[in-house]
Amino acid sequence: MTRLIFLGAPGAGKGTQAKILSSEYYIPHISTGDILRTAVQQQTALGVKAQSYMDRGELVPDQLLYDLIRERLTQPDTVEQGWILDGFPRTLPQAEFLDGLVAEVNQPYEYVVYITVPDEALVQRLLGRGRKDDNEVVIRNRLRVYYEQTAPLTDYYSKLGKLVDIQGDKSEEEVTAQLKALLSR
Ligand code: AMP
């Protein structure tokens, strides 16, 4: 059973690496960005509320994420096979919510994987990705939001003794190798 939280700036490779580990080890991958993008596409109540924040590169309000995470963590696949959380938590209240939830449902996580990549490399990667919220103005805003609201979580998890640094400024294969080494500890 593996439960991991992936932390890192937009473009650090969280999604790419989560997908690789998910398919090789059969660990359910939970990407809140993917879930929200689907909700926007389908114009569900959640999607309608989230859309304007996402288009601007802002975080959607914490409250919108909580039901979604609680539901996803109590489905049979995640209960039985664990999870990789990619893109959640992104704020301190989200981290505290998650710690409350995992205690309640008895799903402790092993590590918080902190994937680090220098800023300029991030911008170049994001510009190359071509997603709707990947134009330069929105990218700069997402990085600012990341440093203001999400980066402080490294302190929170480091104090809990959960934080593991992974160097993300390497080839995809090298980053995957670092993660596999961690999982075989
Ligand atoms: P991502 O695909 O993880 O880069 O997420 C894309 C966008 O979805 C972000 O820029 C936010 O607007 C929104 N989002 C995803 N996860 C969260 C979260 N945990 N809290 C708030 N907003 C989120």
Side-chain angles (χ1 to χ4, degrees):
M1 173 76 68
T2 304
R3 299 188 196 91
L4 300 173
I5 296 170
F6 276 17
L7 198 61
K14 301 187 297 295
T16 303
Q17 294 297 331
K19 282 188 193 97
I20 294 170
L21 292 189
S22 170
S23 72
E24 289 197 27
Y25 297 95
Y26 305 102
I27 313 166
H29 170 207
I30 306 174
S31 159
T32 47
D34 285 349
I35 294 169
L36 290 168
R37 275 184 291 279
T38 302
V40 168
Q41 256 168 22
Q42 299 177 344
Q43 289 289 293
T44 64
L46 172 66
V48 169
K49 286 183 201 149
Q51 182 160 19
S52 65
Y53 298 97
M54 295 175 74
D55 286 347
R56 283 179 281 132
E58 302 286 336
L59 297 183
V60 312
D62 291 337
Q63 214 55 43
L64 293 184
L65 276 299
Y66 294 161
D67 287 348
L68 178 165
I69 291 292
R70 172 180 291 277
E71 247 176 61
R72 193 62 196 89
L73 258 48
T74 50
Q75 282 162 356
D77 64 327
T78 49
V79 170
E80 283 156 27
Q81 296 168 101
W83 36 260
I84 299 173
L85 267 180
D86 158 18
F88 187 95
R90 261 181 157 97
T91 64
L92 202 52
Q94 290 182 15
E96 288 165 348
F97 164 84
L98 182 64
D99 278 344
L101 177 64
V102 301
E104 182 191 324
V105 298
N106 192 25
Q107 296 186 21
Y109 49 88
E110 284 86 34
Y111 305 111
V112 177
V113 172
Y114 179 39
I115 308 182
T116 55
V117 173
D119 248 26
E120 275 320 300
L122 292 173
V123 175
Q124 289 315 311
R125 282 189 189 183
L126 291 166
L127 282 172
R129 204 159 70 168
R131 219 166 69 184
K132 187 180 174 208
D133 56 351
D134 281 343
N135 69 70
E136 184 145 5
V137 174
V138 177
I139 287 171
R140 298 267 174 209
N141 197 37
R142 279 163 55 215
L143 287 175
R144 184 186 56 75
V145 166
Y146 169 76
Y147 286 111
E148 281 176 17
Q149 303 194 52
T150 307
L153 295 185
T154 55
D155 268 356
Y156 175 86
Y157 287 119
S158 161
K159 284 182 187 131
L160 291 178
K162 293 286 187 186
L163 200 71
V164 179
D165 278 356
I166 295 286
Q167 292 164 13
D169 195 17
K170 309 245 163 158
S171 73
E172 199 172 293
E173 292 75 19
E174 284 172 289
V175 178
T176 306
Q178 293 179 62
L179 289 166
K180 287 183 173 176
L182 175 68
L183 290 187
S184 62
R185 265 192 204 170

